[in-house]
């Protein structure tokens, strides 16, 4: 008599021996069978591995017990991986929502405090812009140094190629220069309307350089957001007449300015994506991007100072005296400090909040996309308009809301909701189909 022992890995599996195939019922206790010329004797013992109740005989292998025993944990691992991926997806969505909300709040504070900072420095807006530029470099590199000593920033991050950062600085300087030139000729109400070109440029550039493909609801959402901002700002402001008076050249120059700014944000997104590959899955610290980008921006701004000072109506030969007087007003000391009430507190508050806004914007680009960051920044426009209607220090009682404010804000919110409405299996914003 020949006897053979075989262990069945799970309930409901199929055993085979020669031409005999036996189905093991789930309730059977042990497996033991022998063969004789008269009749087979069968006893079953079942060992039920992890997840057997769920998968039954899904991993049973006829005649291949070792594979069957390995398959159960493997399927369990797949299930756990899927569950963990789902949790990570939810956490990432929550992180994007929180970062977007912080960006909106910072964007509102940035717009309001810029208006307040110009109360004491109303005669020195160019000085305020240069002060902020220098402040970026000092603060960002100080933070970068601290994070390097803490081990957050590594030598590999600092050894990243600097050419992209040079391009970032150049784009930011060109965006500032062209924006100042056009802004000097355009009315305040027309600039937010033309700024919607920023979103269009971002979609187009991400399509070209990132290989992104946008769904219909996302394009429709972006379109409604732009329409909502235009209605919110332009209603009752005579912006259309202002655009006509300014002429097509300055309007086109402002649109080109937003092209430089959109290219800057898309390039930063490309830097983060490339860094993930070069750092072998690691994440590039955003203060590396901010620090080197601001440093090169300051360098190009210095090269463009003769041109920029002329745009502000300041002869280059008189620029040192202008900066000296601006410093006295900022510090609120000396005989030139008359009319500088609120300095240096209000300008410093603006610079701090502006840095926080730039950091939150870059963080949102890092974890989502440039388009999402643009939508969050755009959403701050109608909120800032509403805040300006409230009684603010140094500004007094503001103007009433524009006639189309409610309609424009409603369309803007609907556009954001339509953009955010994507199938659960899709990504948060777009799908990348081209290598960056």
């Amino acid at each position: 008599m020949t006897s053979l022992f075989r262990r069945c890995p799970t309930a409901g599996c199929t055993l085979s021996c020669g031409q005999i195939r036996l189905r093991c019922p789930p309730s059977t206790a042990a497996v033991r069978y022998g063969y004789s010329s008269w009749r087979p004797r069968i006893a079953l013992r079942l060992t039920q591995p992890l997840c057997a109740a769920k998968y039954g005989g899904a991993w049973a292998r006829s005649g291949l017990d070792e594979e069957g025993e390995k398959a159960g944990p493997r399927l369990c691992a797949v299930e756990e991986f899927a569950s963990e991926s789902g949790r990570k997806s939810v956490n990432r969505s929550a992180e994007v929502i929180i970062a977007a909300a912080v960006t909106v709040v910072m964007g509102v504070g940035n717009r309001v405090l810029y208006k307040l900072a110009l109360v004491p420095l109303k005669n020195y807006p160019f000085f305020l812009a240069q002060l902020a530029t220098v402040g970026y470099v000092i603060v960002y590199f100080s933070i970068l140094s601290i994070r390097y000593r803490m081990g957050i920033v590594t030598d590999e991050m600092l050894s990243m190629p600097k050419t992209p950062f040079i391009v970032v600085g150049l784009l930011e300087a060109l965006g500032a220069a062209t924006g100042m030139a056009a802004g000097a000729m355009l009315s305040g109400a027309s600039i937010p309307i033309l700024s919607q070109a920023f979103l269009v440029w971002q979609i187009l550039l991400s399509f070209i350089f990132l290989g992104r493909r946008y769904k219909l609801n996302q394009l429709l959402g972006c379109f409604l957001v732009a329409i909502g901002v235009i209605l919110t700002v332009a209603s009752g402001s005579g912006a259309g007449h202002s655009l006509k008076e300014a002429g097509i050249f300055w309007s086109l120059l402002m649109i080109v300015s937003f092209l430089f700014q959109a290219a800057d944000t898309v390039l930063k997104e490309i830097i983060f994506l490339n860094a993930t590959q070069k750092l072998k899955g690691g994440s590039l610290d955003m203060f590396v991007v901010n620090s080197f980008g601001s440093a090169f921006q300051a360098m190009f701004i210095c090269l463009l100072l003769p041109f920029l000072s002329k745009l502000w109506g300041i002869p280059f030969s008189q620029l040192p005296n202008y900066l000296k007087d601006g410093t006295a007003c900022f510090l609120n000391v000396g005989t030139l400090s008359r009319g500088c009430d609120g300095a240096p507190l209000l300008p410093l508050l603006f610079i701090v909040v502006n840095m926080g806004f730039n950091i939150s914007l870059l963080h949102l680009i890092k974890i989502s996309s440039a388009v999402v960051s643009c939508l969050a920044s755009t959403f701050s426009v109608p909120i800032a308009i509403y805040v300006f209607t409230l009684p603010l220090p140094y500004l007094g009682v503001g103007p009433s809301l524009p006639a189309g404010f409610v309609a424009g804000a409603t369309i803007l919110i609907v556009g954001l909701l339509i953009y955010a409405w994507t199938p659960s299996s899709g990504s948060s914003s777009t799908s990348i189909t081209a290598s960056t």
Side-chain angles (χ1 to χ4, degrees):
M1 178 183 296
T2 304
S3 63
L4 175 66
F5 292 85
R6 185 174 299 274
R7 182 175 299 278
C8 177
T10 184
C13 68
T14 302
L15 299 175
S16 66
C17 179
Q19 300 299 321
I20 302 175
R21 296 180 64 84
L22 301 175
R23 184 77 175 175
C24 304
S27 59
T28 307
V31 179
R32 181 182 180 184
Y33 61 91
Y35 177 82
S36 71
S37 60
W38 294 102
R39 62 177 180 177
R41 291 181 293 112
I42 302 173
L44 298 176
R45 171 173 294 171
L46 178 64
T47 301
Q48 191 176 43
L50 188 63
C51 294
K54 253 183 202 184
Y55 297 103
W59 57 72
R61 299 293 182 269
S62 178
L64 298 174
D65 299 325
E66 294 181 0
E67 291 185 10
E69 291 175 357
K70 293 178 181 178
R74 191 182 303 125
L75 289 177
C76 294
V78 170
E79 182 189 45
E80 292 173 0
F81 175 78
S83 177
E84 182 68 19
S85 298
R87 286 193 295 270
K88 287 182 178 179
S89 177
V90 172
N91 293 338
R92 186 172 185 81
S93 298
E95 183 183 3
V96 171
I97 292 173
I98 294 174
V102 171
T103 302
V104 171
V105 173
M106 287 292 184
V108 174
N110 181 62
R111 292 175 182 275
V112 173
L113 285 172
Y114 178 69
K115 188 76 172 178
L116 289 172
L118 287 179
V119 171
L121 295 178
K122 55 182 176 294
N123 296 322
Y124 306 100
F126 183 68
F127 169 81
L128 179 61
Q130 306 318 307
L131 178 65
T133 301
V134 175
Y136 296 155
V137 177
I138 297 174
V139 174
Y140 287 154
F141 270 99
S142 298
I143 297 176
L144 181 66
S145 176
I146 294 173
R147 294 173 72 85
Y148 177 75
R149 293 175 184 176
M150 294 174 62
I152 300 175
V153 175
T154 64
D155 292 329
E156 290 182 345
M157 296 181 185
L158 296 178
S159 64
M160 294 287 294
K162 299 302 183 292
T163 302
F165 299 130
I166 295 176
V167 179
V168 165
L170 177 61
L171 289 173
E172 291 180 348
L174 291 176
T178 54
M180 286 181 183
M185 304 301 297
L186 296 171
S187 67
S190 60
I191 293 176
I193 296 176
L194 294 173
S195 69
Q196 301 316 301
F198 183 62
L199 181 58
V200 177
W201 285 126
Q202 280 192 329
I203 293 176
L204 183 61
L205 292 175
S206 62
F207 177 84
I208 296 174
F209 294 104
L210 291 173
R212 290 224 163 102
R213 303 298 180 261
Y214 293 91
K215 299 181 177 66
L216 180 62
N217 66 290
Q218 294 173 325
L219 296 176
L220 177 61
C222 291
F223 174 76
L224 291 178
V225 167
I227 294 297
V229 172
I230 292 174
L231 287 178
T232 301
V233 176
S235 57
S237 65
H241 182 68
S242 299
L243 285 172
K244 186 176 180 180
E245 283 185 344
I248 189 66
F249 173 77
W250 298 109
S251 298
L252 290 177
L253 185 61
M254 180 60 74
I255 293 175
V256 171
S257 168
F258 290 115
L259 168 62
F260 291 132
Q261 297 176 42
D264 167 53
T265 57
V266 172
L267 177 57
K268 288 177 179 176
E269 188 176 354
I270 292 175
I271 290 174
F272 282 121
L273 292 173
N274 290 341
T276 302
Q277 299 176 359
K278 294 180 180 179
L279 298 177
K280 299 178 181 179
S283 178
L284 179 64
D285 190 86
M286 61 182 178
F287 282 98
V288 176
V289 180
N290 263 345
S291 300
F292 287 103
S294 298
F296 289 116
Q297 178 193 9
M299 181 185 72
F300 285 113
I301 288 290
C302 289
L303 296 177
L304 293 173
L305 269 182
F307 171 72
L308 294 175
S309 63
K310 186 177 181 180
L311 290 176
W312 287 96
I314 306 168
F316 186 68
S317 59
Q318 299 180 12
L319 184 60
N321 290 331
Y322 171 85
L323 295 177
K324 178 182 177 181
D325 295 344
T327 302
C329 183
F330 169 73
L331 297 176
N332 203 0
V333 295
T335 57
L336 296 174
S337 62
R338 292 182 180 180
C340 299
D341 296 336
L345 178 61
L346 293 179
L348 285 177
L349 281 176
F350 161 70
I351 293 174
V352 171
V353 173
N354 183 257
M355 288 182 185
F357 174 63
N358 289 329
I359 291 171
S360 64
L361 205 61
L362 188 60
H363 176 67
L364 191 56
I365 292 174
K366 180 180 178 180
I367 66 175
S368 60
S369 69
V371 173
V372 173
S373 68
C374 177
L375 292 174
S377 177
T378 302
F379 188 62
S380 67
V381 174
I383 300 177
I385 292 175
Y386 173 75
V387 172
F388 280 125
T389 64
L390 304 175
L392 297 173
Y394 299 98
L395 294 179
V397 179
S400 59
L401 287 175
F405 178 83
V406 176
T410 302
I411 293 175
L412 188 150
I413 293 174
V414 171
L416 289 175
L417 293 176
I418 291 177
Y419 181 90
W421 180 75
T422 53
S424 58
S425 59
S427 61
S428 61
S429 58
T430 54
S431 58
I432 301 178
T433 59
S435 175
T436 57

